[in-house]
Amino acid sequence: MKAIVIGASGGIGGALADAIEERGATVVRLSRASDPPIDLCDDASIAAAAAQLAVKGPFDLILLATGLLHDDVVTPEKSVRQIDGAALERLFRVNSIGPAVVMRYFLPLLARDRRAVFAALSARVGSIGDNRLGGWVGYRAAKAALNQIIRTVSIELGRSHPQALIVGLHPGTVATRLSAPFQRNVAPDALFTPAVAAGHLIAVIDRLGPADSGGCFDWRGERISP
């Protein structure tokens, strides 16, 4: 099996790459520091990375293990008064626009003659129907957009790659830099190490079929409502 992990320098991405390699697969690890490099804020780098890897395909599994909740500039909003246009643009660029561009250039690398999977890390908070708490406007909206992009692209993918599927995956709360400021109120048994989270996600991928394409699933394999 041949796989690509985009975002392999991160906690979940690195753990996913390790777990897949342990199964005997060949894994291409991509990040901003890899060769070829890839940056979700740079369309040209995405296109160039896909072009360079095309000769090594087709691939059975492509995992997009990237995401932005906060950084030195972006902070999740607690109130509508904290909405900032520049922060929203950055959240959408990393969480939805960048992944959409990745799909454009990387989906053609999937195998056409057998089962193949493209999976992107999403989040339960991207569910409009499940939103009971409010807050985190930009992150919620960007992940909701990602889920809609996945659903829309799945329809076209079904025509070109009948045995393939594209899905969003919610890993739960994982002990990484992304969740570090928000772990205080998480029960110990609900905070996963990257290795445990990777195991959960791979098990979910194993159980999914073409009929599940376009959906978003949590780490238990349960479908998340739109």
Side-chain angles (χ1 to χ4, degrees):
M1 185 177 83
K2 295 181 181 179
I4 299 172
V5 177
I6 301 170
S9 62
I12 299 177
L16 283 166
D18 290 343
I20 298 166
E21 283 182 343
E22 288 173 2
R23 290 184 161 199
T26 299
V27 180
V28 177
R29 300 178 183 232
L30 296 181
S31 68
R32 285 178 292 182
S34 63
D35 182 18
I38 188 169
D39 184 344
L40 265 64
C41 295
D42 181 356
D43 289 9
S45 78
I46 297 170
Q52 186 169 331
L53 292 176
V55 297
K56 298 182 179 181
F59 292 88
D60 304 281
L61 177 62
I62 300 176
L63 296 176
L64 181 57
T66 57
L68 173 66
L69 173 59
H70 63 91
D71 59 16
D72 294 338
V73 177
V74 176
T75 301
E77 309 93 340
K78 295 180 180 179
S79 165
V80 68
R81 296 185 299 274
Q82 296 177 325
I83 291 176
D84 175 79
L88 286 175
E89 288 179 0
R90 178 156 172 74
L91 286 166
F92 271 81
R93 177 68 226 195
V94 175
N95 292 313
S96 50
I97 298 171
V101 177
V102 168
M103 292 173 203
R104 172 185 175 180
Y105 291 106
F106 277 80
L107 285 177
L109 305 187
L110 288 175
R112 292 174 180 263
D113 61 346
R114 57 188 182 272
R115 181 182 185 270
V117 179
F118 183 105
L121 291 190
S122 187
R124 186 180 297 278
V125 297
S127 167
I128 296 172
D130 283 353
N131 186 355
R132 302 286 188 273
L133 297 176
W136 290 23
V137 176
Y139 185 71
R140 287 182 185 275
K143 288 298 187 180
L146 172 62
N147 294 345
Q148 179 65 282
I149 291 166
I150 289 170
R151 172 57 185 161
T152 303
V153 170
S154 73
I155 297 169
E156 182 178 348
L157 182 67
R159 301 187 188 113
S160 61
H161 296 67
Q163 299 181 63
L165 58 149
I166 177 171
V167 294
L169 297 175
H170 168 59
T173 304
V174 185
T176 64
R177 287 180 295 177
L178 183 144
S179 68
F182 313 103
Q183 295 174 10
R184 182 180 305 172
N185 297 321
V186 179
D189 60 351
L191 180 63
F192 306 126
T193 66
V196 168
H200 290 160
L201 297 181
I202 290 174
V204 171
I205 290 171
D206 285 343
R207 297 196 297 269
L208 297 177
D212 298 307
S213 190
C216 185
F217 300 86
D218 71 10
W219 60 272
R220 302 178 186 87
E222 298 176 359
R223 186 182 288 267
I224 297 173
S225 66

